Amino acid sequence: MTKISAIITCYNVQEYVAVAMQSILDCGFEDMELILIDDCSTDKTRAIAGAVGAAANVPYVPIYFSRNTVGGVACAANAGLDAATGDIVIFIDGDDWVVPAALRRAVDLQIASRADFTVCNCQEYWNDSGEYTQYPEGHYWEQLPHTADPVRRRDMLLRMAPFPWRKVYSRNFLERHRIRFPVGDFFFEDNPFHWETTIKAERISFLDEITHVHRMARSGQTVGSKGTKYLKIFDHATTIRETLESSGEYMANQSAYIDWLLRHVLWCGKFVPAGFLNEVFERGKPQLQQLPADSFWHGLAIAGFGPSDIRKLAAIYLDERFEFLREF
């Protein structure tokens, strides 16, 4: 029998944690351990999680940090991986939920395919409006059934959202390659984790079903409001490039990396306060200028950006600060 390790990471999610926990319990996996890591919440998250865990009919493994860790969920997610004993690992954010029937099918596919991990579709739920939306990657899901080449499928995955919680992982794969989330004073650590797992995987399965619902626009959420935390993406750009270079995979994945880098420079410029646009310019310049000229201009030409975004990126590459700032 295949054992499932469901890892839920939490911080101040008292309104939502019971839903996250119950949704994975409703999957009805015959052999599952529920591992919940609380990053020193200051609300009633632990009490609510403890009540749900005590009533669960599966082993409940609470891990409570004595102080809040820096950055995002890396420390909590890594603690969950270190505690996991299952054959399969599933991540759930404490404010999200899974779709039980679809997730069971994803696990069945993961087991049958013997993949290193299975990628599933997902949906966003907007907490402020009650609206459900799809992440803008539907064109990749449309192409995947017609794409047999594993190299091309991997390239498409690198261009998709990096969410770890919409994937079903082989724990043996993660342990064999010693893959963990990077720990540091930054957010968005799912990006380097996504790149490392994708590059090192030999077999990847895809299931075009919504298995996870990601809650957006809630109070205290990392993504969604302006702030300097978005500048941390430049640390991840360095990590991703160094991982590609150390594994000898940079040239094979250069196009996908350039596309990722261009989009995240623009993304950072969109969300930082206006007073930090100079920092975006300074942090983005060495990242872009290390690209060969022909690769940079080709990547910019095929990315599908509008005129203003093209001018922003070109200004950084050409070291024209005023031209960059005037686009805002």
Side-chain angles (χ1 to χ4, degrees):
M1 184 183 298
T2 302
K3 183 176 182 180
I4 311 297
S5 293
I7 300 173
I8 302 182
T9 53
C10 301
Y11 177 67
N12 284 351
V13 288
Q14 63 180 13
E15 298 94 337
Y16 316 113
V17 66
V19 171
M21 297 175 71
Q22 192 60 52
S23 70
I24 190 68
L25 291 170
D26 286 348
C27 292
F29 293 120
E30 294 180 29
D31 190 2
M32 184 180 80
E33 60 184 1
L34 182 59
I35 304 170
L36 184 136
I37 306 93
D38 180 72
D39 200 2
C40 199
S41 291
T42 57
D43 62 2
K44 298 179 180 178
T45 294
R46 292 186 180 183
I48 295 171
V52 177
N57 59 352
V58 302
Y60 176 56
V61 184
I63 300 174
Y64 295 158
F65 287 179
S66 59
R67 61 180 179 179
N68 183 246
T69 58
V70 296
V73 303
C75 290
N78 289 344
L81 283 174
D82 291 343
T85 62
D87 306 291
I88 284 177
V89 170
I90 299 167
F91 292 103
I92 307 122
D93 282 359
D95 58 343
D96 296 345
W97 69 91
V98 303
V99 181
L103 185 57
R104 281 193 66 95
R105 287 190 286 273
V107 169
D108 289 342
L109 175 60
Q110 171 66 23
I111 295 170
S113 66
R114 298 184 179 181
D116 291 316
F117 61 89
T118 295
V119 185
C120 308
N121 210 332
C122 60
Q123 199 171 37
E124 298 167 321
Y125 171 77
W126 293 85
N127 213 50
D128 53 352
S129 66
E131 181 183 6
Y132 289 88
T133 57
Q134 293 294 119
Y135 198 79
E137 56 183 22
H139 56 297
Y140 291 125
W141 286 107
E142 292 174 0
Q143 296 172 38
L144 278 165
H146 311 289
T147 307
D149 180 10
V151 175
R152 173 60 182 147
R153 288 165 72 89
R154 185 174 73 170
D155 181 77
M156 284 193 281
L157 179 55
L158 288 174
R159 298 169 190 267
M160 293 167 72
F163 313 134
W165 36 256
R166 56 93 167 261
K167 302 184 182 83
V168 178
Y169 295 94
S170 160
R171 191 171 71 86
N172 177 270
F173 162 68
L174 297 176
E175 295 305 311
R176 190 169 69 249
H177 293 285
R178 300 179 181 178
I179 299 175
R180 290 293 188 271
F181 291 86
V183 174
D185 185 14
F186 41 59
F187 296 88
F188 318 114
E189 61 283 329
D190 50 356
N191 281 273
F193 187 84
H194 172 70
W195 277 78
E196 186 174 10
T197 52
T198 302
I199 292 301
K200 292 183 176 178
E202 296 178 4
R203 182 189 294 270
I204 303 171
S205 293
F206 293 85
L207 179 67
D208 188 8
E209 290 193 49
I210 294 170
T211 59
H212 286 66
V213 181
H214 184 43
R215 193 184 300 271
M216 300 291 292
R218 73 164 178 85
S219 177
Q221 194 168 35
T222 300
V223 179
S225 59
K226 286 184 177 291
T228 59
K229 57 183 176 288
Y230 294 92
L231 293 166
K232 303 298 184 179
I233 201 67
F234 292 109
D235 296 322
H236 297 316
T238 298
T239 299
I240 291 169
R241 185 182 177 102
E242 289 176 349
T243 298
L244 290 170
E245 290 174 341
S246 65
S247 62
E249 293 280 355
Y250 178 72
M251 292 307 300
N253 297 282
Q254 184 187 61
S255 176
Y257 172 74
I258 291 175
D259 184 76
W260 178 90
L261 179 60
L262 296 178
R263 294 183 187 280
H264 280 80
V265 171
L266 292 172
W267 174 75
C268 186
K270 177 181 177 181
F271 284 105
V272 299
F276 286 86
L277 287 172
N278 274 305
E279 185 71 12
V280 175
F281 184 87
E282 289 298 333
R283 297 291 301 274
K285 183 170 65 173
Q287 297 286 351
L288 295 182
Q289 288 185 343
Q290 68 182 333
L291 302 174
D294 57 344
S295 299
F296 169 78
W297 293 113
H298 177 71
L300 191 59
I302 66 174
F305 297 137
S308 179
D309 286 341
I310 290 174
R311 289 193 293 268
K312 290 173 186 174
L313 293 165
I316 296 175
Y317 191 74
L318 297 173
D319 196 14
E320 297 177 345
R321 185 187 305 268
F322 177 74
E323 296 301 323
F324 170 74
L325 294 175
R326 72 185 296 183
E327 290 300 324
F328 295 89

